[in-house]
Amino acid sequence: MSRSTTYDRERKLQREVTETVGLTAPDVEVLALELSAPDRFCVYIDHERGVDHALCERVTRVLRGYLDRYAIDVSSPGIERPVRTREHFAAVAGKSVSVRTNELLDGRKRFKGRVVEARDTAVVLEQSGQEVEIPYERIARGNLVDEGR
């Protein structure tokens, strides 16, 4: 399966899963969905009181309709939490992130830098004194970088 097909499947699945979770667990935020194999995906969730095993089980039950086609992992965001949207990037302004795009941007797909600004349509990162603007729709993966390492 090509990367763009995988990316498109992930985006479609994320929209579906976000809607499904939102209908029965509106207090749970779906941060990201990643296909780890053609028949397996991981959903990263968050909750204002944190994510525990019971919440992951609850979300897995909500997604039982997908179990005929996929193995499902439900996970907390962890230290290197996924960042994909304007709201995600705004929440980590000033911190370091790594971003991978679904298409070449300025001749490359991988970026790492400090979040300068979360604009309406793009995030601005500072890398080695230069600013780069990455449109949200081009982001295939984005994660906070654990600066404690």
Side-chain angles (χ1 to χ4, degrees), residues 4-107:
S4 65
T5 303
T6 299
Y7 172 76
D8 293 340
R9 269 185 67 206
E10 275 183 348
R11 286 287 166 116
K12 181 178 184 292
L13 266 171
Q14 179 160 346
R15 283 190 301 271
E16 291 174 9
V17 164
T18 299
E19 183 177 322
T20 300
V21 171
L23 290 172
T24 55
D27 56 334
V28 175
E29 180 184 6
V30 174
L31 295 174
L33 180 144
E34 296 177 357
L35 280 165
S36 51
D39 60 350
R40 180 180 210 96
F41 65 80
C42 183
V43 179
Y44 294 92
I45 61 170
D46 205 0
H47 190 278
E48 65 182 19
R49 291 188 307 264
V51 177
D52 60 13
H53 187 69
L55 182 61
C56 290
E57 284 182 6
R58 180 174 146 213
V59 172
T60 300
R61 282 192 304 276
V62 167
L63 298 175
R64 68 183 172 274
Y66 290 90
L67 290 172
D68 62 335
R69 295 165 288 170
Y70 297 98
I72 301 171
D73 299 310
V74 178
S75 179
S76 69
I79 294 171
E80 294 189 342
R81 67 185 298 117
V83 287
R84 306 289 200 280
T85 66
R86 187 191 70 73
E87 294 78 13
H88 294 166
F89 285 103
V92 298
K95 297 185 178 175
S96 294
V97 296
S98 64
V99 174
R100 190 175 81 218
T101 59
N102 59 343
E103 302 172 348
L104 289 175
L105 183 66
D106 295 332

